[in-house]
Amino acid sequence: MPNEKPTSRRDFLRGNSLGRSLLNAARGLADKTLDSLDQKQLSQASGAAAPGNPTQVRHRSSTDNARIQTSRQAMACEFAIEYHAADGADAAAAALEGLDLVERLEDQLSIYRNHTEVAEINRMAADRAVEVEPRLFALLELCEWIHASTHGAFDITTGPLSKIWGFHKREGRLPEQNEIDAAMLAVGFANLQFDNINRSILFRRPGVEINFNSIGKGYALDRIAELMSERGLDDYLTHGGRSSVLARGRDRSGDTAGWTVAVPHPHEREQSLGEIVLRNEALGTSGAGTQFFELEGRRFGHLIDPRTGWPASGVYTATAVAATAAEADALATAFYILGPAGASEYCASHPEVGAVLVCPRDDNPASLEFDVHKFNLHHGRWLPAGTA
């Protein structure tokens, strides 16, 4: 396992330039159809969207610093890019090009499509080494580093566990311990062999598989940011499913030095606990509030601790702030599994990383009382509700 952070790999992911968070929820902006730019011209700027998957373009503000949001469905969620109308047609074209890129990345990363590169790796890598596209190989290396730095809490090989718990098909079930033990044999980076020279991967045993469900959206946002910056855009925000957010520059219509993203209340969907100010960084939020099943009064969420084979508990949501969206996504998952003590330890040794964990008080999931644990969010980066 790597002992030092792969700085060059992170730069590679960032293009050598540069749960459930609710995008600007506290602002309560009303959407209305964009009428200042021609929709047909926007679509032609980067090619028409696939039939049945239209691109939505919405006006987000009526001020002089009007914001435009362009969105499209991908990776089973809504991807959106928000930019300023003053940046003109070049920004609109770049946003559409970014959404096109997300669709191409989904066609590489998805485990739910038989023809993707990741699906091919899962089919073949137990029999022979499989060559990996350079950017995807860099992502694998980053996953390996995060796995090591979180003491195994983040792991892209947990697919066998998700299957025996029924989360793969959203049909939760309680497996027998012998099923968990058998699945655990195929979990862990010790089962993956990387060839850095040939950029290939080999599985050390049958039954191993990889998936990027806990980092793929963030990776896609990093690639969008690379593209937007290459097009000369400095101020924009992009998100995938509102749980993965990346910000560059600042919101010119706001009153902060960056962009504000709300951290949701664990029980009241229309309320937030506060906002995190992002500037040239990213945020990821993990939680098991929507994918879970209950049995004999006990709740089992879909985020499984790869070290034990059992669903993690004791956290409502975990939010991580990091330099890249891929890191933020992965760390949010790891922090959910590690809990506040583990997140605190990680943030103490990584001062560039911030976190907010919302946990049931006294580790009682039935309690409506909760505690908010914040780490490394200093100098006005955390705005509690009622003070923003």
Side-chain angles (χ1 to χ4, degrees):
M1 295 298 178
N3 295 317
E4 296 183 359
K5 187 170 185 176
T7 304
S8 61
R9 295 169 193 160
R10 188 179 75 179
D11 290 343
F12 186 74
L13 284 171
R14 297 174 66 188
N16 294 319
S17 53
L18 313 178
R20 201 173 61 243
S21 292
L22 302 178
L23 178 66
N24 294 317
R27 296 190 178 278
L29 296 174
D31 291 346
K32 60 181 180 180
T33 303
L34 174 68
D35 55 10
S36 58
L37 293 174
D38 184 88
Q39 179 78 45
K40 182 178 180 180
Q41 291 177 341
L42 287 174
S43 298
Q44 291 174 342
S46 67
N53 188 22
T55 300
Q56 301 294 324
V57 183
R58 298 183 184 277
H59 200 281
R60 299 287 290 180
S61 175
S62 60
T63 68
D64 292 338
N65 292 310
R67 301 198 311 274
I68 296 172
Q69 177 177 285
T70 304
S71 64
R72 191 182 304 168
Q73 292 294 312
M75 298 188 181
C77 69
E78 179 192 55
F79 270 79
I81 302 172
E82 193 162 328
Y83 56 94
H84 296 92
D87 290 332
D90 289 343
L96 288 170
E97 190 176 352
L99 296 177
D100 290 342
L101 174 60
V102 173
E103 291 191 333
R104 294 197 300 273
L105 291 173
E106 183 177 15
D107 217 33
Q108 178 188 36
L109 301 177
S110 177
I111 61 171
Y112 304 104
R113 301 176 182 180
N114 291 331
H115 64 272
T116 69
E117 182 173 359
V118 172
E120 177 74 7
I121 290 172
N122 286 338
R123 280 195 299 271
M124 306 300 299
D127 298 322
R128 61 173 177 83
V130 178
E131 185 176 348
V132 181
E133 184 267 331
R135 299 296 290 263
L136 180 57
F137 192 80
L139 179 60
L140 283 168
E141 292 181 305
L142 179 65
C143 290
E144 182 185 28
W145 180 83
I146 297 175
H147 172 82
S149 68
T150 60
H151 307 293
F154 172 75
D155 199 312
I156 59 172
T157 68
T158 57
L161 291 170
S162 294
K163 288 179 179 178
I164 64 166
W165 280 93
F167 293 118
H168 185 70
K169 295 184 177 180
R170 296 178 181 265
E171 299 173 352
R173 59 180 291 269
L174 181 64
E176 299 292 335
Q177 184 60 47
N178 65 324
E179 294 179 86
I180 297 174
D181 294 340
M184 287 289 287
L185 296 175
V187 174
F189 269 77
N191 290 315
L192 306 181
Q193 179 177 319
F194 297 111
D195 183 337
N196 295 327
I197 296 176
N198 296 310
R199 288 198 303 269
S200 66
I201 184 173
L202 176 69
F203 295 165
R204 298 183 187 273
R205 62 180 302 127
V208 176
E209 59 185 72
I210 59 174
N211 73 72
F212 297 97
N213 292 346
S214 55
I215 198 172
K217 290 191 298 181
Y219 173 67
L221 296 183
D222 290 331
R223 295 291 298 271
I224 288 175
E226 174 187 338
L227 186 152
M228 297 287 283
S229 295
E230 288 175 350
R231 301 297 184 271
L233 277 297
D234 297 319
D235 299 321
Y236 56 89
L237 181 143
T238 178
H239 77 78
R242 295 178 171 83
S243 62
S244 304
V245 184
L246 182 147
R248 290 288 181 262
R250 68 182 184 89
D251 176 5
R252 300 172 201 159
S253 65
D255 54 4
T256 68
W259 297 79
T260 58
V261 180
V263 174
H265 191 285
H267 308 307
E268 303 294 336
R269 295 187 60 184
E270 302 303 319
Q271 298 182 24
S272 70
L273 296 177
E275 294 178 325
I276 295 175
V277 179
L278 298 180
R279 183 179 176 89
N280 299 328
E281 55 192 348
L283 173 153
T285 294
S286 289
T290 58
Q291 294 189 51
F292 64 90
F293 69 93
E294 294 182 328
L295 183 65
E296 297 179 352
R298 185 178 176 185
R299 174 180 289 201
F300 299 92
H302 76 288
L303 293 175
I304 299 174
D305 188 337
R307 303 165 303 176
T308 67
W310 284 77
S313 61
V315 177
Y316 285 132
T317 61
T319 297
V321 178
T324 69
E327 290 174 273
D329 266 9
L331 289 174
T333 298
F335 292 166
Y336 184 93
I337 290 167
L338 291 170
S344 175
E345 179 182 350
Y346 187 95
C347 290
S349 59
H350 298 82
E352 75 282 5
V353 172
V356 177
L357 273 68
V358 183
C359 306
R361 187 158 295 170
D362 300 323
D363 199 25
N364 178 10
S367 174
L368 293 179
E369 296 185 337
F370 58 88
D371 294 310
V372 179
H373 306 270
K374 303 179 296 296
F375 309 103
N376 290 347
L377 294 177
H378 313 300
H379 310 300
R381 298 176 66 200
W382 167 251
L383 306 175
T387 64

